[in-house]
Amino acid sequence: MKVKTKTLLELASLGSTLYVLSKDEELREQLSGYASKGKEVLRDLLHKDDEEEPDEDSLAHKIREKMSEAEAELEQRIEKMVGQAYRKLHIAHTDELKRMQQEVDKLRETIAQMSRPSA
């Protein structure tokens, strides 16, 4: 009787282990599918005009180029949005302060010229 119980427990354990392994295999296949789809999307994005498959160096170079372009575009957008927020909040932006300083300097020159005695 003990042998049968032990064998049943081993079979149940083996069965549950096989079940867990099969689930792991399904997960691995899903992740592999996602990785393949991601690679395809990335290649399509980076190689719209290219007909041939690029090597890893050119792929890395193109990724860096795209990142630089995206960074520059993001910086411009942020600068534009900050400027709009300053205007909405009626806060002087650096460019506006420079322009106002130039106007003040011109007015001072005009006042200085007007206050000089005429000869």
Side-chain angles (χ1 to χ4, degrees):
M1 190 79 166
K2 288 184 180 181
V3 174
K4 287 183 181 179
T5 305
K6 184 177 179 183
T7 304
L8 286 174
L9 286 175
E10 287 175 348
L11 284 174
S13 176
L14 179 62
S16 66
T17 302
L18 288 174
Y19 175 76
V20 169
L21 287 175
S22 70
K23 288 294 182 185
D24 285 346
E25 185 64 30
E26 288 175 17
L27 177 64
R28 214 175 333 207
E29 288 174 5
Q30 283 181 340
L31 292 176
S32 177
Y34 293 146
S36 297
K37 286 179 185 177
K39 287 178 184 177
E40 289 174 17
V41 169
L42 185 62
R43 281 197 176 105
D44 290 345
L45 178 68
L46 295 175
H47 307 294
K48 291 178 183 174
D49 302 328
D50 297 347
E51 293 179 12
E52 59 191 50
E53 187 70 21
D55 61 346
E56 288 184 23
D57 289 337
S58 68
L59 183 64
H61 179 71
K62 286 188 178 188
I63 290 173
R64 278 188 236 116
E65 283 179 354
K66 291 286 185 180
M67 286 175 50
S68 296
E69 290 171 10
E71 184 179 10
E73 184 180 332
L74 179 63
E75 190 173 316
Q76 288 174 350
R77 285 183 180 182
I78 289 173
E79 194 172 304
K80 181 180 175 184
M81 290 175 68
V82 167
Q84 289 173 348
Y86 281 165
R87 283 190 292 279
K88 285 181 181 179
L89 296 172
H90 302 290
I91 298 174
H93 190 267
T94 305
D95 295 337
E96 189 176 346
L97 291 174
K98 287 179 185 177
R99 183 185 58 78
M100 292 172 79
Q101 183 62 46
Q102 289 173 350
E103 285 182 26
V104 168
D105 291 342
K106 286 179 184 177
L107 289 172
R108 284 184 180 161
E109 288 176 18
T110 304
I111 292 171
Q113 288 175 358
M114 292 172 66
S115 64
R116 287 186 197 142
S118 299

